[in-house]
Amino acid sequence: LSMLLSSGADLNGFDFVPIIIDPDKSNGDVTRTIDILNTYKKVRSKLSFESGCENHFFQTKIGLKADSEHEAFRLVLENIENEQFEDYIDYQGLKESDKALMSMLFSKNNLNADMEVGFKGNPNIGSVVLNQFKSSEAYQNFSGTFEQGDRIFIISSIFGGTGAAGFPLLLKNLKDKDENVAAWNLIRQAPVGAVTVLPYFGVKKDEDSEIDKSTFISKAKAALDYYRKNVKSLNTLYYVGDDKQLEYDNVEGSVNQKNKAHFVELASALAIIDFAKQSSELLTTDSEGVPVNPEFKEYGIKEDVASVTFSELGENSQNSVQKGLTQFLLFEKFMSEYLKDNLNAAWAKGKPEITESFLHEPFYNDFLKNYRNHFSDWLNELAANNRSFDPFRLEVGANNLFELVKGVKPRVGLLERGKNYSRMDYMASKVEKDLSSLPIEDKFMSLFYQTTERIVKEKYNF
């Protein structure tokens, strides 16, 4: 979602306030996600989006804090570090009859489970531990800033432990009456959407691991049956999954869990954008927080292909991603392959000038460079996964730049001035004339947002 927002997608004017619930404090995927979010904030902190600044890159505000402030973005679960589940529930302190009940609900392996890296596909453990989230600082901050008109969206997998357990529990707590929670009634009646992510990858067999891909389908079916009977409080529920599944290394958590970006995750992000753009009139609830007209949606592509390009996406998906991603990729290529050696171009000479010293400022050299690296990694990982999302020829360069988009032949004007990066040079020089009143960071981003927008329209009619 952050990649789509940085490339110009919008959430219908909503800010984006992510809260990550994961007991695994060192999880490599979570650590990378938080770095991406905070890097996004740092880039945005230098941009004003004032009048005359026609730039949609990084336009959506992320988080509750000011753009320049580092944010944790996660809900901290207490009393799980270096602790077994039986200690968490004080199993040894229970009466014998209660111990017998616990032994029916939890296996010996469950009771001895170390929870430091998560619930390892055990939603029965997660449903107990996650019940504390309402007292957390992250939830208190969320409820304390919640306003009329805000919406809630829950993202969870259904074939593991944390997501499958946390989703219905979170939904129940959001809909409960609780006068100890600020804005509890607004939260209770707010529109709620969710995406339930069905199995879309496998893990390699490991006799020493508690994670077994052969249980993914049965766990998903059991959870779906539970949701069908008990989950009644959603305005819109989205389903997404895939039967083309790459097997990841069997890593139970911590720093080594770094899964490749996947097309299913992109489709899940599109569900959030779809929910944000739904009319408020279609997302009504009664006084008890029960939706009046709930909807259920699945995600699909036009053809069952192993490698998805823009042409396999439905119309709404194409409209949400193809223009912005193409623009941002052209921006990234211009920055990495052409910018530094061409600061004598006309677009760099107007006031304020884009100089060598600007390229050494934190905005460009740290924040934007770090984010661009994440963006490149993301596209490469999507292209290498199965099913892949591979709409671009990432290898194109100075001699064939506009052959970038697979399946789309770039148009060439009869009297067109300049080719490849030279064409972008020419277009940028035309755009720059109207940007002299802006601060340097706003000018820089507006210059290349408008330049890439014109190029994408001219070459691909996006």
Side-chain angles (χ1 to χ4, degrees):
L1 180 60
S2 67
M3 295 300 164
L4 294 181
L5 297 179
S6 62
S7 64
D10 75 278
L11 291 177
N12 199 24
F14 288 102
D15 294 343
F16 169 42
V17 183
I19 301 175
I20 299 171
I21 302 175
D22 193 322
D24 185 359
K25 292 182 179 180
S26 303
N27 183 283
D29 287 325
V30 174
T31 301
R32 177 165 69 161
T33 299
I34 291 173
D35 183 54
I36 289 169
L37 294 170
N38 275 304
T39 304
Y40 181 112
K41 279 167 58 75
K42 288 175 183 177
V43 173
R44 196 178 186 280
S45 71
K46 298 295 185 179
L47 304 175
S48 68
F49 297 96
E50 63 185 40
S51 177
C53 177
E54 188 181 328
N55 166 39
H56 291 180
F57 292 153
F58 300 95
Q59 66 179 341
T60 298
K61 183 179 184 297
I62 288 182
L64 291 172
K65 295 184 178 181
D67 284 329
S68 58
E69 296 180 36
H70 190 274
E71 203 156 340
F73 290 116
R74 66 184 305 161
L75 183 147
V76 177
L77 297 170
E78 303 291 341
N79 303 319
I80 63 170
E81 196 168 354
N82 301 318
E83 186 155 335
Q84 294 181 326
F85 181 62
E86 68 172 359
D87 298 322
Y88 182 85
I89 63 173
D90 191 22
Y91 178 79
Q92 298 302 330
L94 297 175
K95 296 185 298 184
E96 289 303 315
S97 58
D98 291 334
K99 282 185 180 179
L101 177 61
M102 291 299 103
S103 297
M104 291 174 62
L105 296 172
F106 304 101
S107 69
K108 189 172 182 179
N109 283 343
N110 287 161
L111 293 170
N112 293 332
D114 178 358
M115 301 180 293
E116 188 170 353
V117 295
F119 308 127
K120 302 178 186 178
N122 295 296
N124 52 336
I125 295 177
S127 63
V128 175
V129 178
L130 291 172
N131 214 32
Q132 62 169 279
F133 83 91
K134 212 168 186 180
S135 60
S136 69
E137 181 181 357
Y139 187 81
Q140 294 299 318
N141 290 338
F142 156 76
S143 61
T145 57
F146 200 87
E147 297 178 353
Q148 181 74 41
D150 288 350
R151 299 179 184 182
I152 300 167
F153 199 93
I154 303 169
I155 309 159
S156 64
S157 65
I158 200 173
F159 55 101
T162 306
F167 168 45
L169 186 68
L170 178 58
L171 189 59
K172 175 183 178 297
N173 278 275
L174 290 169
K175 294 296 183 176
D176 278 349
K177 295 180 180 179
D178 189 346
E179 296 185 2
N180 294 317
V181 174
W184 68 269
N185 201 33
L186 285 178
I187 294 171
R188 188 183 186 210
Q189 296 184 48
V192 182
V195 58
T196 291
V197 185
L198 299 158
Y200 67 102
F201 63 85
V203 292
K204 296 174 183 176
K205 188 71 175 176
D206 185 343
E207 297 297 339
D208 296 324
S209 173
E210 295 181 42
I211 301 173
D212 182 357
K213 74 170 187 177
S214 67
T215 68
F216 286 1
I217 295 297
S218 59
K219 285 178 178 177
K221 290 171 72 174
L224 284 169
D225 187 56
Y226 178 85
Y227 293 178
R228 179 178 63 86
K229 296 173 183 174
N230 297 285
V231 175
K232 308 291 185 183
S233 303
L234 287 167
N235 294 86
T236 313
L237 178 58
Y238 299 81
Y239 294 98
V240 62
D242 200 352
D243 57 4
K244 281 185 170 60
Q245 297 177 3
L246 185 68
E247 285 199 342
Y248 294 165
D249 290 337
N250 195 326
V251 179
E252 292 189 343
S254 197
V255 294
N256 292 323
Q257 184 174 325
K258 296 178 180 177
N259 297 340
K260 288 186 176 73
H262 195 287
F263 177 64
V264 162
E265 296 151 10
L266 176 60
S268 301
L270 290 172
I272 302 169
I273 292 174
D274 180 83
F275 184 70
K277 292 184 176 181
Q278 286 190 45
S279 168
S280 297
E281 297 173 357
L282 300 176
L283 299 175
T284 55
T285 59
D286 63 22
S287 59
E288 298 298 311
V290 178
V292 176
N293 294 299
E295 286 191 305
F296 303 88
K297 300 185 178 185
E298 291 180 301
Y299 189 84
I301 53 179
K302 292 179 181 177
E303 295 183 56
D304 186 9
V305 294
S307 183
V308 178
T309 64
F310 290 138
S311 62
E312 280 80 46
L313 302 180
E315 183 178 353
N316 287 342
S317 293
Q318 284 188 24
N319 291 339
S320 294
V321 304
Q322 67 180 2
K323 175 178 178 286
L325 292 183
T326 306
Q327 279 187 245
F328 204 87
L329 182 54
L330 283 170
F331 172 60
E332 153 57 20
K333 282 187 164 292
F334 194 91
M335 296 304 104
S336 61
E337 299 175 9
Y338 189 79
L339 177 74
K340 187 176 180 180
D341 296 328
N342 289 275
L343 294 178
N344 60 343
W347 52 261
K349 293 302 182 182
K351 302 297 182 182
E353 285 190 48
I354 298 171
T355 62
E356 182 78 23
S357 62
F358 171 74
L359 303 189
H360 290 92
E361 292 291 326
F363 170 76
Y364 184 87
N365 197 43
D366 296 333
F367 311 154
L368 194 56
K369 183 178 180 180
N370 186 18
Y371 197 90
R372 286 168 35 224
N373 288 339
H374 280 305
F375 182 80
S376 295
D377 290 345
W378 178 67
L379 285 180
N380 280 294
E381 289 176 18
L382 284 171
N385 217 316
N386 187 25
R387 167 181 334 247
S388 70
F389 179 61
D390 194 17
F392 299 116
R393 296 183 181 90
L394 297 174
E395 72 281 2
V396 301
N399 296 321
N400 60 346
L401 179 65
F402 298 134
E403 294 174 18
L404 181 70
V405 183
K406 290 183 177 180
V408 181
K409 185 177 181 179
R411 298 185 297 185
V412 180
L414 185 62
L415 301 176
E416 185 173 292
R417 292 184 58 179
K419 294 182 179 181
N420 302 307
Y421 288 122
S422 294
R423 182 61 181 167
M424 291 185 68
D425 244 346
Y426 172 75
M427 198 71 79
S429 297
K430 291 183 67 176
V431 170
E432 190 275 335
K433 296 174 183 178
D434 298 323
L435 303 176
S436 59
S437 63
L438 296 174
I440 183 65
E441 294 87 359
D442 280 318
K443 175 184 176 177
F444 184 80
M445 297 303 288
S446 295
L447 173 63
F448 288 104
Y449 178 82
Q450 292 181 52
T451 297
T452 55
E453 185 176 45
R454 292 186 185 190
I455 291 289
V456 164
K457 177 66 176 176
E458 174 185 85
K459 295 298 177 185
Y460 315 112
N461 197 31
F462 289 171

